[in-house]
Amino acid sequence: MRPLDGITVVALEQAVAAPFATRQLAELGARVIKIERPKVGDFARHYDTTVNGMSSHFVWCNHSKESLTLNVKEPEAKEILDQLLAKADVFIQNFGPGAIDRLGFGIDVLKEKYPQLIICSISGYGENGPYREKKAYDLLVQCEAGLVSVTGSEEVPSKVGISVADIAAGMYAYSGILSALIARSRTGKGSVLEISMLEALGEWMGFPLYYTNYSGNEPKRNGASHATIYPYGPFRTGNDKTVFLAIQNEREWAMFCNQVLQQPERSDDARFATNSDRLQNKSVLQGIIDEVFLQLTAEEVIARLEQAKIANARLNTVQDFWEHPQLKARNRWRQVETPAGPVQSLLPPVTMEGVEPCMGPIPALGQHNEKILLECGFDAQTIRKWKEAGVV
């Protein structure tokens, strides 16, 4: 048994935010019916061809789902969607602003027809306000939320290397839907959820928001270093590798001086007595640390840090992470079937005792058309005609 066994999710979804949310619902046992455009499908299917000819984004976000193609502008397709929603528990969509209303499936219509339904809409900037109609892609939302202004080097602002605005919105859609399912179990009524990428990422901007508004100063971009804690970030070693470390309090600072730098007198140096002092004298302290670390290999530095119980990390590549010994030791990889053969996929990060997440196949476009339409009560001849007419 999985927590969401028996729950059906109908998803008018594309790209990242909504598919990321519904994949996690599917991993908990929900049946996710992914509605895609005939012949074309979710446009994320075509971002690249790196995973055995498939898109890396699509492979990441779409295992354990069923694919149904519908031209939702056609009356017959709307009839099919009606049939699905009448039996569904959750409806999620991330179409452009106003698109779902123009199709005749606006919030008020859905609430009246399907009082049991949990309705979740994901947009770039929200359902009202001056940015309602503005197109929203991940990089652009990172810019609007101020994230790019605090990321990068001192000279060059930079985007985050993964789709954090999409991921944030998908995570809040996922947790919101789970909360709504709990609420419905008590009230018997569905809920309406709205998530904007801007507001989801804005929640993650909490530290720089408070720091800026109440100090009057924007956090400085420091590359991979921390803006307000030092030492906290990357340091080069003698074998031309990079080691990251983090000092969080004065006890750790003393241990760092004693066991890592092997210069215990530094812990009594007034220039470095508190984090604020260390930050103010950062350039001097960096020179002291560099003088020690450049005489050691990365392995020797890490050994000293481990002995002193100072938090540290290697600068891994993405390939290093794929091969990470911790993931292997914890058996975090599973094989997922795809139309192009099996691929490896990470288990979801929440481990539930006695529950094996659903790691089902990634569907081919329209793979489940006939199965789903027959379940809805349509006969094979009608389905054939709809296929010829481009309805499905």
Side-chain angles (χ1 to χ4, degrees):
M1 290 290 293
R2 299 185 177 97
L4 297 186
D5 282 351
I7 296 295
T8 298
V9 179
V10 174
L12 272 172
E13 61 177 24
Q14 53 194 357
V16 177
F20 183 60
T22 57
R23 189 210 77 192
Q24 294 176 89
L25 297 172
E27 288 168 342
L28 292 179
R31 181 188 188 187
V32 176
I33 299 173
K34 180 183 182 74
I35 297 176
E36 304 185 70
R37 291 171 294 173
K39 298 183 180 179
V40 179
D42 180 342
F43 57 72
R45 283 183 180 270
H46 311 291
Y47 279 169
D48 58 66
T49 57
T50 57
V51 186
N52 299 337
M54 299 174 295
S55 160
S56 50
H57 278 82
F58 193 84
V59 168
W60 166 41
C61 289
N62 288 285
H63 68 70
S64 308
K65 301 181 184 180
E66 299 175 32
S67 173
L68 169 67
T69 55
L70 286 183
N71 180 353
V72 290
K73 295 181 180 179
E74 296 291 338
E76 297 90 342
K78 293 178 182 179
E79 180 186 352
I80 296 167
L81 186 54
D82 266 322
Q83 292 267 18
L84 292 171
L85 294 177
K87 299 176 182 178
D89 300 282
V90 178
F91 175 57
I92 183 169
Q93 64 88 20
N94 65 332
F95 276 24
I100 203 73
D101 300 273
R102 292 190 292 273
L103 291 172
F105 290 91
I107 299 298
D108 291 338
V109 174
L110 293 175
K111 285 171 62 179
E112 183 176 349
K113 292 178 74 172
Y114 315 112
Q116 88 293 349
L117 194 62
I118 293 163
I119 304 157
C120 179
S121 299
I122 302 175
S123 64
Y125 297 104
E127 296 298 320
N128 52 26
Y131 275 44
R132 180 180 184 271
E133 302 292 332
K134 194 174 179 70
K135 285 190 174 181
Y137 299 116
D138 189 89
L139 167 60
L140 310 181
V141 176
Q142 287 191 38
C143 291
E144 290 286 349
L147 178 58
V148 174
S149 77
V150 298
T151 306
S153 67
E154 187 174 349
E155 298 80 16
V156 183
S158 177
K159 70 182 284 293
V160 176
I162 59 174
S163 304
V164 286
D166 282 310
I167 294 169
M171 285 303 302
Y172 287 115
Y174 169 58
S175 60
I177 288 168
L178 294 179
S179 300
L181 286 168
I182 294 171
R184 194 186 65 171
S185 71
R186 297 170 178 167
T187 67
K189 296 179 180 179
S191 304
V192 176
L193 313 177
E194 181 199 349
I195 297 99
S196 84
M197 293 166 66
L198 179 70
E199 290 156 11
L201 190 56
E203 169 62 24
W204 291 11
M205 288 290 291
F207 147 65
L209 276 174
Y210 281 104
Y211 183 92
T212 299
N213 193 61
Y214 287 95
S215 73
N217 299 304
E218 298 272 345
K220 293 181 179 179
R221 291 189 300 274
N222 289 279
S225 297
H226 199 284
T228 58
I229 304 174
Y230 194 82
Y232 191 137
F235 293 89
R236 300 295 293 175
T237 63
N239 58 342
D240 203 31
K241 293 182 179 180
T242 298
V243 170
F244 282 68
L245 64 93
I247 304 293
Q248 294 278 38
N249 53 56
E250 306 320 317
R251 179 186 58 80
E252 289 185 349
W253 169 243
M255 295 291 286
F256 181 74
C257 294
N258 289 335
Q259 297 189 35
V260 181
L261 297 182
Q262 296 182 353
Q263 299 176 12
E265 70 277 6
R266 297 294 182 189
S267 62
D268 298 321
D269 192 324
R271 295 173 297 174
F272 314 130
T274 68
N275 177 67
S276 296
D277 296 324
R278 293 191 289 275
L279 196 64
Q280 186 174 350
N281 295 288
K282 175 179 176 180
S283 59
V284 176
L285 181 52
Q286 181 171 345
I288 293 168
I289 296 171
D290 286 346
E291 188 175 354
V292 174
F293 280 20
L294 289 173
Q295 303 302 313
L296 304 169
T297 66
E299 292 72 23
E300 289 169 335
V301 170
I302 288 173
R304 288 190 183 187
L305 291 166
E306 285 291 308
Q307 184 179 9
K309 299 190 184 309
I310 302 296
N312 65 84
R314 294 169 175 83
L315 177 58
N316 279 344
T317 65
V318 176
Q319 187 64 46
D320 291 334
F321 176 65
W322 183 278
E323 298 165 359
H324 204 291
Q326 186 71 358
L327 298 177
K328 183 177 180 181
R330 285 172 50 78
N331 192 28
R332 300 307 295 174
W333 292 99
R334 294 294 184 274
Q335 184 169 286
V336 168
E337 297 300 323
T338 82
V343 298
Q344 294 296 108
S345 182
L346 274 174
L347 284 171
V350 175
T351 300
M352 301 180 70
E353 185 177 10
V355 175
E356 175 72 13
C358 178
M359 303 294 285
I362 296 166
L365 180 61
Q367 179 179 338
H368 301 91
N369 283 5
E370 187 169 352
K371 171 191 171 185
I372 294 170
L373 295 174
L374 287 171
E375 287 178 8
C376 289
F378 302 109
D379 59 70
Q381 185 177 0
T382 300
I383 296 170
R384 223 170 15 249
K385 286 181 180 178
W386 284 344
K387 185 176 180 181
E388 293 169 358
V391 174
V392 300

